[in-house]
Amino acid sequence: MRQHFRWATVAMIVVLVVINYIDRSAISYAVKPLSSEFGIDSAGYGIISSAFSIGYMVFAFLAGPLVDRYGPRRILLVGMVIWSIATAITPISGGFTGLLLIRIVLGAGEAPGFPAATRIVSRWLPSVERGFALALVGGVAVSGSLLIGGPIVTQLIAGLGWRGMFWVLAVLGVVWAVVAVGLLYNTPAAAPRVSAAERAHIEAGQLAEESTERQEKVNWRRILTNRNLWIVGVGYFAWGFIFWAFMYWLPEYLSTSYDLSIKQVGAFTIAPWAAGVVGAIIGGILVDRVYARTGSIRSRFTIMGIALLLAGAALIPIVVAPGLVTAIVFISIGVGCGFVTGGIWWVAAIDAEPSHPGSAAGFADACFALSGVVAPLVMGFIVQSTGTFASGFVVMVVLALIGAGLMLFGTREPARKGTTAGVEATTTR
């Protein structure tokens, strides 16, 4: 009888991502008492916020090879310990310099998350199940954490104070690490709870290079000359710009453009992230079903390209400053369509370089992190210099169209070795 322990492994990664995003965003809810305590002004807080993305971007790129070399289990446990310590000492950082360093360390600790998750999924699931799994990891968990993170963090602050909130989140990370010691393994072959039937099911849907735990030296030339991987990076940057711009600036846009109160802003920002959850689920199911029918890896790039195209198109009406309801509707459509790609970027990274999934994912994640540095700065400059958000929305639309065009017309069907079951893969078109 085939068991489903592989989904317990996926669930562990989903919980990891939820903790990841709540921890990284928690500081935004404590900004007033924290700034007052340490004497940090708005400009200083902006620099501190960017420090996380800088640390994350650098170490996301470096974490991929470490994951491929030493295995995701070990790297994730070390990363979780590092970012839990960084979270715990945030309240006692002492001032601007301390916070700046802690945010860089937090970014470094969280950076291995998605490269490690990508390698785990590539080793634990057959190809036809990866779209849904990575949609849960990279889409539902991300947008879902933004939905539940605010209420959780604000309740913790109300009950325990802002310092207590950080300490509870740090303990939550340690608890995850303790559970992971007993439940998380690099491959099904290393996990005693996986039955022979489930192991056979997994291996039957994998490529030959994905069915082993053996770690190889990273071939950087192969990664950096991979056409599909570069296109994935550009596309992920385009979607990332939209994601980070709305994550940092949507409340301010609604408040200043429509004169909303804080409570009203909170209510209206629910819709886009709820749409993101729906979009991520749709994307995961769709990409798996299409791949199961066609066997074409390029079908995944096509779905991502169409989703980016629709996301960009949905934002065009926002440029002309429509009414509040119209703005929320089209922003929600844009975010929902963008999140259709949410977890597929990781599937695409595996497809682009299956022998080094962690390194490929680290490359893609670094592109996403770069957009997290660029988007807030660009949007801030535009708003300060023009007094409106219109040009910022234009930038989002243009980037979405560029990413969509590359995904639809620039990618190629990669040549593949056979699966472990001996089925020959599609050759290069």
Side-chain angles (χ1 to χ4, degrees):
M1 179 179 178
R2 174 156 49 98
Q3 298 172 332
H4 300 282
F5 187 76
R6 64 192 184 281
W7 293 107
T9 301
V10 172
M12 287 291 298
I13 300 302
V14 169
V15 173
L16 171 85
V17 173
V18 171
I19 297 173
N20 185 306
Y21 267 82
I22 291 177
D23 280 4
R24 73 173 65 177
S25 63
I27 194 172
S28 65
Y29 295 95
V31 61
K32 288 185 178 179
L34 186 147
S35 298
S36 177
E37 178 75 18
F38 297 138
I40 298 172
D41 58 18
S42 298
Y45 173 70
I47 296 172
I48 289 169
S49 299
S50 296
F52 171 87
S53 293
I54 293 171
Y56 187 95
M57 177 180 64
V58 173
F59 284 93
F61 190 73
L62 297 176
L66 292 176
V67 168
D68 284 332
R69 187 70 180 269
Y70 298 106
R73 183 176 186 269
R74 183 184 304 177
I75 300 301
L76 279 180
L77 289 173
V78 172
M80 177 61 86
V81 171
I82 291 173
W83 100 52
S84 294
I85 291 174
T87 301
I89 64 177
T90 297
I92 56 174
S93 56
F96 175 81
T97 302
L99 272 176
L100 186 71
L101 294 175
I102 286 171
R103 291 297 289 181
I104 292 174
V105 172
L106 181 67
E110 294 192 4
F114 284 107
T118 303
R119 186 173 181 95
I120 284 175
V121 168
S122 75
R123 283 359 182 203
W124 272 89
L125 296 175
S127 295
V128 294
E129 294 178 350
R130 292 175 189 168
F132 179 71
L134 286 169
L136 293 177
V137 172
V140 175
V142 172
S143 53
S145 68
L146 295 174
L147 278 176
I148 68 175
I152 289 174
V153 169
T154 52
Q155 288 300 314
L156 287 174
I157 292 174
L160 302 173
W162 68 275
R163 286 186 171 90
M165 176 269 292
F166 281 109
W167 292 332
V168 169
L169 293 180
V171 170
L172 185 61
V174 174
V175 170
W176 182 92
V178 171
V179 175
V181 169
L183 289 181
L184 190 65
Y185 296 89
N186 289 333
T187 65
R193 294 179 179 86
V194 178
S195 66
E198 183 174 15
R199 190 176 297 118
H201 169 74
I202 295 169
E203 292 177 353
Q206 292 181 318
L207 300 170
E209 58 264 44
E210 295 171 341
S211 62
T212 178
E213 190 176 1
R214 181 171 59 90
Q215 314 300 331
E216 298 180 355
K217 184 178 180 180
V218 177
N219 186 336
W220 283 108
R221 183 177 183 278
R222 183 170 175 175
I223 290 173
L224 296 178
T225 58
N226 190 308
R227 177 193 181 100
N228 283 356
L229 187 58
W230 275 102
I231 292 176
V232 168
V234 173
Y236 206 8
F237 178 91
W239 159 236
F241 189 97
I242 297 172
F243 171 81
W244 292 110
F246 279 130
M247 182 175 173
Y248 284 115
W249 286 99
L250 181 58
E252 180 69 13
Y253 166 72
L254 294 175
S255 176
T256 58
S257 299
Y258 301 101
D259 195 26
L260 301 182
S261 68
I262 294 297
K263 289 185 177 180
Q264 289 173 319
V265 168
F268 281 110
T269 54
I270 290 176
W273 304 122
V277 173
V278 175
I281 294 173
I282 292 174
I285 294 173
L286 181 63
V287 74
D288 278 345
R289 289 188 175 180
V290 172
Y291 179 76
R293 287 187 177 184
T294 65
S296 169
I297 288 173
R298 196 168 180 275
S299 67
R300 291 165 172 164
F301 297 126
T302 300
I303 292 171
M304 297 164 77
I306 292 174
L308 272 181
L309 183 64
L310 293 176
L315 298 179
I316 292 175
I318 315 302
V319 175
V320 297
L324 174 61
V325 174
T326 301
I328 290 296
V329 168
F330 281 98
I331 289 173
S332 298
I333 293 173
V335 171
C337 289
F339 262 106
V340 168
T341 71
I344 312 177
W345 299 109
W346 311 109
V347 184
I350 296 173
D351 290 338
E353 191 47 69
S355 62
H356 298 95
S359 300
F363 178 88
D365 207 18
C367 294
F368 180 68
L370 177 61
S371 69
V373 177
V374 173
L377 296 177
V378 170
M379 292 295 292
F381 174 79
I382 288 173
V383 173
Q384 183 175 346
S385 60
T386 67
T388 71
F389 290 82
S391 297
F393 293 131
V394 171
V395 174
M396 293 186 203
V397 172
V398 171
L399 287 175
L401 294 177
I402 292 172
L406 288 173
M407 298 299 293
L408 290 170
F409 305 110
T411 53
R412 297 172 179 171
E413 184 77 23
R416 285 290 184 256
K417 302 174 184 177
T419 64
T420 56
V423 180
E424 290 300 322
T426 307
T427 57
T428 304
R429 290 179 178 176

